[in-house]
Amino acid sequence: MPKTDLTTAPFAYDGLDRVIHEKARLGLLTSLMAHPKGLAFADLKQLCGLTDGNLSRHLQVLQEAGLVDVIKGYEGNRPHTTCRLTRSGRRRFLDYLAVLEQLVRDAARAAGTAERAAGTAEKAAGKDDGAAGRLGIQPV
């Protein structure tokens, strides 16, 4: 997918990777980021509140995208699956977070601008009594 020109589309946020942006996968990647040596399947399942099947499917998507390694083996006679971020997965997740942080800053700035504009319009109309007026407190 071609990158959008930031000068003409500053709110396109091309770096919001659709593979990562899904809620469950975002939780999985965050959990794995906090545990660089990896986590057992059961621990990931508990941390992210997912079912076995749901977790398996999300891990498959992340593995196919090269974001995670899924290592299957045995501990004693019992099957054991460990999951960890790949080096490129860690980099892509950090890049994703940088774009997400920019989105939050832009949204906060836009909300502040809208609040200031609304306050200015109310003052000009003589309807703004500041915070007291917004709380329903009448000046004495």
Side-chain angles (χ1 to χ4, degrees):
M1 173 166 47
K3 293 283 184 188
T4 306
D5 181 8
L6 290 178
T7 58
T8 59
F11 301 117
Y13 305 111
D14 287 331
L16 289 181
D17 189 325
R18 287 183 180 270
V19 171
I20 296 172
H21 202 65
E22 200 283 327
K23 177 184 152 197
R25 292 192 288 266
L26 187 57
L28 288 169
L29 292 171
T30 301
S31 298
L32 293 172
M33 188 70 136
H35 297 88
K37 292 184 180 184
L39 285 168
F41 185 92
D43 294 334
L44 264 177
K45 178 179 147 181
Q46 189 272 325
L47 284 170
C48 297
L50 299 170
T51 63
D52 286 352
N54 211 327
L55 176 55
S56 291
R57 179 63 184 126
H58 286 297
L59 285 172
Q60 180 183 8
V61 169
L62 292 170
Q63 188 176 23
E64 288 170 357
L67 296 167
V68 299
D69 283 329
V70 178
I71 303 103
K72 295 181 182 253
Y74 287 89
E75 276 189 3
N77 290 334
R78 303 188 86 179
H80 183 77
T81 301
T82 303
C83 307
R84 70 173 175 242
L85 278 175
T86 62
R87 180 172 281 133
S88 64
R90 183 174 298 279
R91 178 78 260 146
R92 271 179 67 184
F93 189 59
L94 290 171
D95 290 345
Y96 168 87
L97 290 177
V99 174
L100 195 57
E101 287 173 343
Q102 184 61 51
L103 181 146
V104 170
R105 281 192 299 273
D106 291 346
R109 189 173 21 257
T113 301
E115 282 285 318
R116 285 190 299 279
T120 302
E122 287 177 0
K123 280 184 183 180
K127 296 180 182 176
D128 186 30
D129 295 324
R134 285 190 293 280
L135 295 173
I137 302 169
Q138 298 300 318
V140 182

